[in-house]
Structure formats: C-alpha cells, structure tokens
Amino acid sequence: MISSNILESLNPQQAAAVTSDRRATLILAGAGSGKTRVLTSRIAWLVRSGEVSPHSILAVTFTNKAAREMLTRISTLLPINIRGMWVGTFHGLCNRLLRIHHREAGLPETFQILDSADQQALLKRILRGMNIDEEKSPAREIGWFINAEKEQGRRAGAGDVSDPMVERWSEVYLRYEQQCVREGLADFPELLLRCFELLTGNEDLLAHYRSRFSHILVDEFQDTSRLQYQWLKLLAGERSSLCVVGDDDQSIYGFRGASAQNMSDFQTEFGAHVIKLEQNYRSYGAILDAANALIRNNPHRLGKELWTSQGRGELLRHFEAADDSEEASYVVEEVKRLRDQGVELSQMALLYRSNAQSRVLEHTLFSSGLPYRVYGGLRFFERQEIKHALAYLRLVANPGDDAALLRVVNIPARGVGARTLELVQQAALDQGISLWEAARARPPSGKAGAGVAGFVSLIESLRAQAVGQGLAGIAEAVVERSGLKALYQAERDGADRVENLDELVNAAATFEADTHSLTEGDPEAPPRGVTLADFLAHAALEAGDNQAEAGAQALQLMTVHASKGLEFEAVFLCGLEEGLFPHENAVNQESGLEEERRLMYVALTRARHHLYLTSAEARMLHGRSRYNQPSRFMAEIPAELVERIAKRPPRWTSHTATPSWAGNARAAAASPAQSAGAPGSAWRIGQNVLHGKFGPGVIMDAEGRGLDARVQVKFRDVGVKWLALEYAKLIPA
C-alpha cells in the first residue's frame, strides 16, 4: 500500500490530479493553487506505486530554477537516489539527448551552444560577408526571424519567400545554417528542432525513448510553442501517459512563440481528462475576486474561478497621481509605511509594464534611501569577464569556433586590429575554412601578425594542457594564462571582476562534482567523464535564468512579465493607463488585448495581502510627456473591491487642485506673471507650453512665489531652461 503521506496534505482536486490513471490528463491549475506540489507529488506517487521506475519518467519545466526545485521536492518524498532522473527544461533535455546521440544528429561531440549575443555577432559577420547593409536588415531582427522559423519547425527556404525582405533574410538564414555546421554551433531553437528531427528521422531511436519514458509530465504547458507541443506528441506516441499542468489565463509569452491554443488542442487531440485546481493558497479574497472579474472579459477560456478560505482581506487601493513623480512618491511613502508595520522589503514588489517606467521609480527610491534591486540584472554567466573566459574555454574545446575567436583574439590587447581581422576573415572565406585554420596557416605580417601568432600559440598550449585535466584545472589555466586576470587586476575597479573569474573556477569544480553524482544512477548516461563541452553547455543554459541576487533586504523592481511565478506580501502595480497597460501596440488586436489582460491577471495574482494600483495623468516616457486615460482594466474590476485614494494637490499648489485646461488658458492670458506656487496657479508640472523664442516644451519643475516664481521647462529644440514667470510669457500648448 502506498504511504499516505504523499496524499494527506492535498485537497481533493489535487489528490485526484496526483492519482489520475488516465493516459492524458490536463491539470488546469490557477495561480497559487499548488501546481508544483501536485506535479512533484504525482512523480513520487508513480514511483512509490512500484509500477514506474524513476528512469521511466520525463519531467519538463521552463526554467533551470524550476527543475532544481522539482528535484529538491522529489528528493524529500522519495527515499531513493533521484539524481539520474530526466527532469529539466526543453532546451536542457534536448541538449542531453543530442550529446548522447550527436553522431545520429549530425553534430560534432563538442558542439557549442550559441547564446543570443553570440548569435548576433555571427549574423553581423555573415551580413558583412554578403555585403548586406545592417541598417536595412538589422542582425537582431534577422535573429528573431531565424528563431521564429526554427520554432515553427522550418529550415532555411521552407517558408513563404514571396516577400522580397523575407527572401533576403532566408538567404541569410541559409548562410547562417552553413556557418553553424562549419563551426559546430547550435543556437537555442536549434536544440529543439535538431532533437525533433533526430527522433523523426530515426524510428529505432524514437521507439527506444517511447518505450523508456512511459510517463511524461509538463509544467507551465500554456507557455509551450507549437514545435515543443509537436515534440511532446512525438515522444508520447500512442502509449505513454502524458500529464500536463498549465493555466491558459497566464499565457503571456506570445511574443516568444508560446501558444495557449496548445491547451485546447491537447484536450481535443488526446481526449484529455481535465482536472481544475481552483483553490488559491496565496491571495486574500478581494484580490482573487478582482482577478476573476478581469479575466472573465477574455473569450475562449477553458474556464475556472479562483477562491480561497483565507477570507476577503483588505480592498485593493487605487491612487491616481498628477504625474509619474507623484506616483513614485506615493509608492515610496506606502512602502515605508508597510515596512514600519513589519512587512519586509524583499516581500514587496514594484511592477510595471515597460522597463522605461523604472527610471522615475529608481530615482525616487534612491533619493529616499530605500534599498532596491532591479530584478533580472546580469547573471553570473552573462558578465563581461565571464563571457571572455568562456570564449577562451570554447576555443580550448573547439578552436574552429569563429565567434569565440573574434571575441577574445585581442582581449587582452595584442595589437590585432580590425584590418588584420578582415584579412584573416577574407582568407577563411576564400578557402572555406575556419578563422582558426586561416590564422594558423598564414598569419598576417608585422606586429599584428605577431599578435595573431601569439594568440594561436596560446590556444594550442592551453589545449595541450587540458588533456587529462579536470574542469577546474582547465578553467584556472585559462583565467591565469589568457591574461584576463592580470588585465582586471590592473584596473582600478577590477576587484569584483577578478573575484568573478575566481568564482568561475569554483563553478567548474562544482559542476564536475555534481555531474558525477547526477549520472551515477542513470543507465542512459554516456560511458565517459565530464567534458569541457558539458560545462560550456551548462553555462550557456544557465545564462538565461532570471533570478534575483541573494543578499540584503531590498525592494524588488521588475516588469510584470518577469514577475510570473513569484509572489509577494505587497504588490504595487504602476502605470495603469491606456497605451501603457494595455500597451498601445496591443489594443487594436483582439489576441493582443487578450494577452495584455492575461498579463494584468498575472500581476494581480502576485499579491498575497496588499495590492496597490497606481496611474498618472501625465507621464514622461522616452523624453516626452504623455497624457493618458486610466487603463480600461480598472473599469473591469468591480468598484466595490477598490478603495480610491483621494488625489493630493500638485506638489507646488498649496490649496487648490489643478485647474482645467480651459481654466489654465484663461488664467494664463489674463495674468501670465501669476505665481506658480500661489493658490489658483495657472501652471502645473507636466503641462505642455509654448514660448515665443524657444518653441514647444513641457514644465518639469517649479519654485518660488510671487515675483520670484520660476519654472523649469524642457524644450523640444533647445533643451532644459529655467524661466522667470514674470517675463517668460508662456502660453499653454
């Protein structure tokens, strides 16, 4: 009999999901409904039943952090070594398969993974080689095009090329594919596409993995792309059990190729049994009622209603500020008040739709002395010095990696300039060989040639030293002998970079030890030691993680997209205005507006207890003052759930509210010298004005009274100026 401790803490719906014996199960899990607990409990229940081996389970997540958390939770439920289980992200699992079957996949054993920066660098080289003007065909946009084509399962030339621009980009795509094959490279979408092609084109291999993975479980299914869904269908075949967990109301990554339609298709194509998890363990009732009311406005939902047994809690608070500075000041005041009441700063989050909104918030927080952290800053493997060291390591693993060579051939400086590199690149292009081969065969003459020759000699020496060496030893040799450590030691503020390089050596040692433990119980593990290619693949996969840095207590700032999967005691959702949230690019498209509403739903459901909604009449964005109406989403939240915070007077009007636009115009015409700080002032911060000499502008600040009153105006053509109101003769624009 299965131990009851796996099921005893679950509610009836969760227990039904854990013990479902259907071949296809769709767990419709609302925000805060315990989906991770259900997924890990199901894995433990399957293994403890005695009918399923841990190695017969494939569990797919979307982040490395989620995969680690899942393994940790499973280890507390199962008294066995579960480190060899196949639990990971789509990209991580595909990388694992391709490493094992690199020959069948047509890849070199040491193939390298290109991150987005390296992909851009490679595309720029290709564009130059094809004499394509990058201003007309930006490498970034072509990269998006290539990634989107791969995520749709299309190779170069397989799509519609009737459009001249698409035809040109398809030619770049073809050249890019050829270069990746030549250098042994694979970008992130390539991992999934190549793995899909591997299984599609090899019946015996497909049959093997279908037989091995009798149970496939997928987290965050609403975020899957069409290719990811096809990969899952292919692997499941006709017999494997497929259990997916997702929430169509939280599908917010359409711009990345995610398709909420996969959930409906799965239900139809597999005849999936649907189990709804609607009890929320995170938020109080008023927050959930607001979220439910909002999301009901989206058609074509699978449908669920979140509820809680915690009680209604406090109402949502809505503050409408005169401008974004006042909005930020209000947020800071409330953060301080909550902190004084015992809410930790790390349990408070400021959310915004656009990164551009953070500037005013950061400035106000800095001025107030409140510690804060912008969530999603550069991760360890994305830092400049680490990227340089990894490029050296990539060359040790595969000297034919042109992108890595170009990154560090002159770091530290060796006198290798742009002209020298052009000569090497041209020689490589003429002979159809890698830059490394061209540099070895015939380095340029002069000082630059000596620099190239010295670099080649260094890499050859490092490669020879790496034979039989552990990962930590290889990393340490690269850090020391490349000159990177000495380079940053010589910099006045290079101490942190030196510490990071030292930490890279530690990371290599830890990875090697952990990987040995990971593969101990896995019968599919390749019969070889941990390789440098394994560590480089790990670094590339880890670089995409978006996790807050550990450290002191700090207020969290992030976009709503970045907040998905997180929860906080208090949430401040800023910038609830038309054109900003919902974003102006989405309001004219039905699907776009629906996704914006789902994004709003995600924002609301991040809060446990306190939820603040703020908007501003005037907002400075991209150097311009914008005047927007409140977001339509505010009207979709029942009024009885929201406490309206009274608008305070503008910062520099002491007794009366700001007059209407018409009142401003009449007052200005009658008395242009009226004091900015006196009662009945004609002017306010954020107001558009015209000046006879300087032209149009926006009032940014004001000070003084009576004859001494003056305003700071940012003019479109001449910049920022302070003007005395007695003489300026400003008129409203």
Side-chain angles (χ1 to χ4, degrees):
M1 182 175 179
I2 300 170
S3 176
S4 62
N5 64 351
I6 293 177
L7 303 177
E8 63 186 10
S9 63
L10 305 179
N11 66 38
Q13 290 73 33
Q14 291 174 331
V18 167
T19 59
S20 173
D21 59 358
R22 304 292 187 91
R23 177 177 172 263
T25 304
L26 170 58
I27 303 172
L28 190 59
S33 63
K35 67 178 180 62
T36 304
R37 172 190 288 185
V38 167
L39 208 58
T40 53
S41 296
R42 178 166 175 79
I43 292 173
W45 185 83
L46 288 170
V47 174
R48 292 286 290 272
S49 70
E51 298 179 4
V52 179
S53 162
H55 304 300
S56 297
I57 294 173
L58 179 74
V60 190
T61 68
F62 268 84
T63 67
N64 294 301
K65 178 183 177 183
R68 288 191 294 267
E69 181 183 353
M70 188 177 293
L71 281 169
T72 300
R73 290 199 185 197
I74 295 170
S75 67
T76 65
L77 296 172
L78 291 176
I80 61 173
N81 181 3
I82 48 82
R83 298 297 300 276
M85 292 177 63
W86 283 59
V87 177
T89 64
F90 278 101
H91 294 123
L93 293 170
C94 287
N95 172 68
R96 189 168 173 178
L97 272 168
L98 292 173
R99 295 289 171 188
I100 296 172
H101 304 288
H102 63 90
R103 289 187 180 86
E104 296 95 324
L107 289 168
E109 183 177 7
T110 58
F111 74 86
Q112 301 297 312
I113 300 176
L114 280 179
D115 63 16
S116 58
D118 289 331
Q119 183 188 49
Q120 295 303 307
L122 176 55
L123 284 169
K124 288 179 180 180
R125 284 193 282 130
I126 291 170
L127 291 174
R128 286 195 295 270
M130 297 176 68
N131 293 319
I132 294 177
D133 185 355
E134 197 188 336
E135 290 189 5
K136 296 180 180 178
S137 297
R140 182 179 298 274
E141 292 185 15
I142 296 177
W144 291 339
F145 166 77
I146 292 173
N147 293 345
E149 288 292 285
K150 289 187 177 185
E151 285 162 0
Q152 292 297 321
R154 291 194 290 264
R155 288 295 182 188
D160 179 14
V161 293
S162 57
D163 185 310
M165 183 185 71
V166 174
E167 183 179 9
R168 182 167 62 252
W169 287 7
S170 295
E171 292 173 1
V172 178
Y173 181 10
L174 179 60
R175 190 73 64 89
Y176 171 80
E177 277 194 327
Q178 293 170 342
Q179 193 68 23
C180 285
V181 170
R182 187 177 299 121
E183 297 182 30
L185 304 174
D187 53 40
F188 277 82
E190 180 70 21
L191 293 174
L192 185 64
L193 179 55
R194 185 68 68 102
C195 189
F196 180 78
E197 292 172 340
L198 168 67
L199 296 175
T200 304
N202 193 317
E203 292 185 6
D204 291 340
L205 199 61
L206 177 59
H208 167 74
Y209 282 106
R210 280 179 172 175
S211 174
R212 173 175 179 173
F213 297 126
S214 60
H215 285 77
I216 301 174
L217 300 95
V218 188
D219 192 14
E220 303 287 5
F221 187 65
Q222 77 281 347
D223 294 336
T224 53
S225 67
R226 296 304 292 178
L227 181 58
Q228 287 167 340
Y229 179 43
Q230 295 299 321
W231 184 79
L232 290 167
K233 287 171 59 178
L234 179 68
L235 204 52
E238 298 295 326
R239 294 190 301 172
S240 296
S241 168
L242 187 54
C243 176
V244 305
V245 182
D247 182 2
D248 57 329
D249 290 334
Q250 294 189 74
S251 180
I252 60 172
Y253 296 121
F255 63 94
R256 294 183 186 169
S259 175
Q261 183 63 35
N262 289 343
M263 297 190 72
S264 297
D265 289 350
F266 175 67
Q267 186 178 0
T268 303
E269 294 172 5
F270 282 79
H273 176 55
V274 179
I275 299 173
K276 297 182 181 181
L277 304 184
E278 298 174 298
Q279 183 174 359
N280 178 282
Y281 294 92
R282 175 188 302 157
S283 307
Y284 281 86
I287 294 172
L288 298 181
D289 290 345
N292 286 331
L294 172 89
I295 203 64
R296 284 192 207 108
N297 291 280
N298 269 1
H300 316 305
R301 297 172 59 228
L302 295 178
K304 65 183 184 311
E305 288 281 311
L306 296 179
W307 63 276
T308 182
S309 60
Q310 297 185 89
R312 194 181 197 203
E314 64 182 36
L315 298 178
L316 288 65
R317 293 184 174 91
H318 178 214
F319 177 71
E320 188 175 4
D323 57 32
D324 47 2
S325 295
E326 186 178 58
E327 176 189 49
S329 296
Y330 170 76
V331 169
V332 167
E333 289 173 10
E334 288 300 302
V335 166
K336 289 180 176 178
R337 185 178 68 81
L338 291 174
R339 182 192 59 183
D340 293 342
Q341 291 178 357
V343 182
E344 295 181 351
L345 285 176
S346 62
Q347 284 300 307
M348 291 186 264
L350 274 59
L351 309 184
Y352 35 81
R353 175 65 179 84
S354 168
N355 272 311
Q357 293 172 246
S358 72
R359 184 189 62 81
V360 175
L361 292 168
E362 289 190 63
H363 175 75
T364 308
L365 287 167
F366 178 80
S367 301
S368 71
L370 277 174
Y372 68 91
R373 181 179 301 117
V374 179
Y375 185 88
L378 289 179
R379 303 299 94 207
F380 179 79
F381 287 113
E382 295 174 324
R383 294 168 187 167
Q384 181 195 75
E385 63 278 13
I386 300 302
K387 295 278 282 184
H388 290 339
L390 289 174
Y392 274 104
L393 287 170
R394 284 165 55 184
L395 289 169
V396 170
N398 172 22
D401 187 339
D402 288 359
L405 186 147
L406 288 171
R407 182 181 184 94
V408 294
V409 67
N410 201 41
I411 298 175
R414 299 182 176 87
V416 182
R419 178 56 185 161
T420 302
L421 287 177
E422 286 178 8
L423 293 173
V424 175
Q425 287 176 293
Q426 190 59 54
L429 188 63
D430 291 343
Q431 300 174 55
I433 57 178
S434 69
L435 297 181
W436 168 260
E437 292 171 310
R440 286 185 68 194
R442 197 173 183 180
S445 58
K447 181 181 178 182
V452 172
F455 178 78
V456 168
S457 177
L458 170 65
I459 300 302
E460 287 179 333
S461 175
L462 287 171
R463 283 173 57 78
Q465 186 175 344
V467 176
Q469 184 80 271
L471 290 182
I474 298 172
E476 185 173 19
V478 161
V479 166
E480 296 287 346
R481 296 187 55 201
S482 66
L484 288 175
K485 194 168 188 177
L487 172 68
Y488 294 117
Q489 284 173 333
E491 292 184 354
R492 187 177 61 180
D493 57 349
D496 288 343
R497 297 186 186 277
V498 172
E499 289 178 2
N500 287 336
L501 289 172
D502 290 337
E503 185 58 28
L504 179 65
V505 179
N506 296 335
T510 302
F511 174 79
E512 188 168 26
D514 286 350
T515 306
H516 279 308
S517 173
L518 175 70
T519 56
E520 279 177 354
D522 185 9
E524 296 289 341
R528 58 174 173 79
V530 184
T531 68
L532 179 55
D534 294 330
F535 176 64
L536 292 170
H538 161 76
L541 292 167
E542 284 284 318
D545 265 1
N546 252 356
Q547 305 171 47
E549 295 282 357
Q553 283 285 324
L555 186 68
Q556 308 293 306
L557 275 68
M558 67 190 76
T559 64
V560 180
H561 278 103
S563 74
K564 187 172 178 293
L566 304 177
E567 57 183 65
F568 303 92
E569 185 67 17
V571 167
F572 296 81
L573 179 55
C574 305
L576 281 170
E577 299 132 35
E578 282 295 298
L580 191 57
F581 200 179
H583 196 275
E584 58 192 354
N585 293 340
V587 294
N588 294 323
Q589 307 168 13
E590 182 181 355
S591 61
L593 183 59
E594 289 179 20
E595 182 154 323
E596 288 291 295
R597 189 174 284 109
R598 293 195 291 266
L599 192 60
M600 176 75 170
Y601 176 84
V602 166
L604 298 180
T605 53
R606 298 311 94 196
R608 286 196 288 264
H609 192 187
H610 311 281
L611 179 55
Y612 294 82
L613 311 173
T614 68
S615 56
E617 291 180 349
R619 182 176 303 277
M620 288 295 296
L621 281 175
H622 312 299
R624 296 176 56 194
S625 186
R626 292 175 45 160
Y627 297 89
N628 297 319
Q629 295 295 318
S631 169
R632 70 188 70 189
F633 296 152
M634 287 304 307
E636 296 176 1
I637 298 175
E640 64 269 18
L641 298 175
V642 182
E643 176 187 354
R644 309 284 173 176
I645 307 298
K647 186 189 302 181
R648 296 173 296 176
R651 288 184 298 154
W652 44 292
T653 301
S654 56
H655 300 292
T656 62
T658 304
S660 68
W661 289 104
N664 279 352
R666 288 194 297 272
S671 178
Q674 191 172 15
S675 166
S681 168
W683 311 104
R684 65 184 177 90
I685 293 174
Q687 185 173 357
N688 289 329
V689 295
L690 284 173
H691 185 273
K693 178 179 179 181
F694 302 134
V698 177
I699 296 177
M700 304 292 292
D701 205 349
E703 63 182 25
R705 289 178 171 274
L707 298 178
D708 295 327
R710 65 178 191 153
V711 292
Q712 184 189 51
V713 182
K714 182 176 182 179
F715 290 102
R716 184 183 65 191
D717 300 323
V718 297
V720 178
K721 293 184 178 294
W722 280 97
L723 302 175
L725 282 174
E726 184 177 6
Y727 306 107
K729 293 183 170 55
L730 293 174
I731 61 173

